[in-house]
Amino acid sequence: MEEESQWSGIENGIDDPEELQVIYRTLDSYQQYAKVAHFQCTHVRRQAFYALPQAHWQRLAAPPFNYLETLDKVDDAIESNADLARIIFKTGLEMFHVGVPSESGGELKLPAQWNGSAKPHDMDKARSTIRQFYRDWSAEGASEREACFGPVMRAIAAEQKARGPDHPPLKVLVPGAGLGRLVFELCLNGYETEGNEISYHQLLASSYILNCCPRAGQHTVYPWIHTFSNHQSRANHLRGYAVPDVHCATELAQAEQKRPVGSMSMSAADFLCLYAQEDRAATYDVVAAVFFLDTAPNLIRYLETILHCLKPGGILVNIGPLLWHFEGRVWDRDEHDHEHEDGEGGAGHDTSGIADPGNFELTDDEVMALVADVGFEIVSRETGVEAPYILDTQSMLQTTYKASTWVARKPAATAAG
């Protein structure tokens, strides 16, 4: 399936029945977020709490613990997250033209047969996408963005400078675009930028935040409330973050007064299926792969596709760990997506559409050897780059990747494709 449009949404009709099922389940997962989160986070805990000996739960209900008050506050935080989930659901119904009028004739709703259709892994993706807003669209997530976007942005800027002042803005492809922040930042810096994403959870959320969100700080997300483990303080457990940290249209308009800005577009498709096509040959100056290459069951196919769609002399800029997403999942691909950071769905790149048979896992050194073997020239490489992923810096459990970042060039003499 391929749907392409500006970031104003994916508005063409969807005819594939299986694709429609995925869309309906995705929408339903956002619709059900509040119900499921209340049950999993607080309802079952209240049941377990009152199962304690009476003297024990009474002690925990009193100061300084106030455990029941904590559960009430978690419920409030869930509702704040749910406000964002509901608006993503609402704008998604409009974007895909799949809603039906409610009985009152007011807001659109899901067709009745799709209510409750979301599967557990759909719900996990909705939850992890809401958590990802902290990383991509909060002011507090800026340090994480700098860690992974910074090397990529600097490499692209150096490439633009090296091509001289008269060279037009580089055309950049961002596979696994997620919530769209890197695509937005590249556009802001003057590049012609195309994002690619297969996950409808990510597509719905990014379309809302880039196009429909009315102002900066419109929502408050509480990313740490879904688990009660490893919190140093209740205040941090219940900490909320304003999102988005910028209003995209305003930011672009202000930037345009000072310098030319670029363009943004989006492809909603399987990366391999779309970008291996002949009409994508020698199209892009840069492919920016951020926490993406390890989503490949067959990295050779990824690298060959990137080589195909790069112009001669174009560069692949990569940063990320090697959490091979198909390791141990050979026969259960449809149930998993791109997970980073405690299996909480991290980068959000849905791999369920990738139909390549077989898979393998390489070390970082072996990846570099394969990059060269496929036909790239290695320009630079740095290892051990600290790259946290949706990291609660106050948590008693700290997980930070030591990522690899490198630049590889398609030889200028290589024939297109």
Side-chain angles (χ1 to χ4, degrees):
M1 174 284 237
E2 176 189 348
E3 296 291 339
E4 279 199 280
S5 74
Q6 297 300 309
W7 280 99
S8 56
I10 302 164
E11 298 175 349
N12 299 327
I14 307 293
D15 298 322
D16 185 341
E18 292 186 2
E19 202 76 18
L20 277 171
Q21 287 182 25
V22 175
I23 292 169
Y24 281 128
R25 293 204 317 264
T26 300
L27 289 166
D28 186 55
S29 69
Y30 282 117
Q31 179 180 234
Q32 287 198 68
Y33 167 79
K35 176 183 175 182
V36 172
H38 283 306
F39 177 80
Q40 294 179 341
C41 294
T42 58
H43 177 74
V44 295
R45 284 186 169 86
R46 287 189 178 94
Q47 288 183 319
F49 184 78
Y50 284 119
L52 294 168
Q54 184 175 7
H56 292 183
W57 70 253
Q58 287 179 338
R59 175 182 290 187
L60 293 171
F65 310 105
N66 302 312
Y67 193 76
L68 290 173
E69 291 183 18
T70 293
L71 296 182
D72 290 340
K73 291 176 180 178
V74 170
D75 278 327
D76 291 340
I78 288 170
E79 281 304 308
S80 184
N81 286 352
D83 287 341
L84 176 56
R86 291 181 187 113
I87 195 66
I88 293 172
F89 167 74
K90 177 183 176 183
T91 56
L93 287 175
E94 297 168 352
M95 182 168 73
F96 286 113
H97 304 291
V98 293
V100 296
S102 62
E103 291 75 7
S104 62
E107 293 186 352
L108 296 174
K109 64 177 184 177
L110 272 184
Q113 68 269 31
W114 294 106
N115 286 317
S117 62
K119 297 180 179 180
H121 68 275
D122 298 314
M123 297 306 308
D124 289 344
K125 291 175 188 176
R127 181 182 65 179
S128 65
T129 301
I130 290 170
R131 292 177 70 249
Q132 195 179 331
F133 274 93
Y134 161 77
R135 174 179 170 87
D136 281 21
W137 291 102
S138 77
E140 292 82 356
S143 60
E144 285 198 13
R145 294 194 296 275
E146 170 56 29
C148 66
F149 295 171
V152 174
M153 299 285 287
R154 289 189 288 274
I156 296 173
E159 180 71 12
Q160 182 76 66
K161 183 178 180 181
R163 298 196 180 194
D166 296 329
H167 195 282
L170 297 177
K171 189 169 185 179
V172 183
L173 171 64
V174 182
L179 292 186
R181 186 62 186 256
L182 179 57
V183 173
F184 172 75
E185 295 293 343
L186 288 167
C187 172
L188 201 63
N189 280 271
Y191 305 108
E192 295 183 33
T193 313
E194 179 179 334
N196 165 246
E197 181 56 62
I198 194 173
S199 167
Y200 283 121
H201 284 85
Q202 302 281 310
L203 290 164
L204 289 167
S206 61
S207 181
Y208 168 69
I209 212 71
L210 286 162
N211 301 293
C212 306
C213 189
R215 64 180 180 87
Q218 175 71 18
H219 303 279
T220 301
V221 295
Y222 294 81
W224 321 130
I225 58 167
H226 302 105
T227 176
F228 279 57
S229 297
N230 288 312
H231 294 294
Q232 287 190 348
S233 71
R234 197 59 71 191
N236 188 69
H237 180 203
L238 297 169
R239 187 177 180 189
Y241 304 86
V243 297
D245 57 318
V246 296
H247 180 245
C248 295
T250 300
E251 194 80 0
L252 287 169
Q254 291 176 348
E256 201 163 23
Q257 294 176 2
K258 304 173 185 176
R259 62 183 186 279
V261 299
S263 61
M264 290 190 290
S265 62
M266 184 60 165
S267 67
D270 183 316
F271 172 72
L272 294 177
C273 294
L274 176 57
Y275 292 95
Q277 293 179 9
E278 190 56 38
D279 64 355
R280 300 288 172 149
T283 300
Y284 306 96
D285 299 295
V286 181
V287 173
V290 176
F291 281 63
F292 175 71
L293 293 185
D294 59 358
T295 68
N298 182 348
L299 183 58
I300 296 172
R301 286 263 283 143
Y302 265 33
L303 293 174
E304 288 177 342
T305 300
I306 292 169
L307 193 71
H308 168 79
C309 68
L310 277 173
K311 298 175 182 177
I315 59 172
L316 164 59
V317 185
N318 175 75
I319 186 169
L322 291 176
L323 178 60
W324 295 107
H325 295 175
F326 284 93
E327 182 174 2
R329 302 176 183 175
V330 179
W331 306 115
D332 194 23
R333 292 179 179 168
D334 288 345
E335 298 302 315
H336 297 283
D337 66 353
H338 189 149
E339 294 179 351
H340 275 291
E341 198 265 331
D342 320 320
E344 274 281 5
H349 308 321
D350 186 345
T351 53
S352 61
I354 298 171
D356 247 10
N359 62 283
F360 60 89
E361 303 84 33
L362 300 180
T363 67
D364 195 45
D365 287 343
E366 290 168 339
V367 167
M368 300 312 301
L370 182 60
V371 170
D373 192 64
V374 166
F376 286 95
E377 298 171 350
I378 307 300
V379 177
S380 63
R381 181 191 181 194
E382 182 180 358
T383 59
V385 178
E386 290 201 0
Y389 205 100
I390 317 182
L391 178 66
D392 177 1
T393 58
Q394 302 303 310
S395 172
M396 298 168 71
L397 174 65
Q398 300 288 308
T399 302
T400 299
Y401 292 105
K402 297 288 188 178
S404 176
T405 182
W406 42 267
V407 177
R409 188 177 303 278
K410 177 177 179 176
T414 299

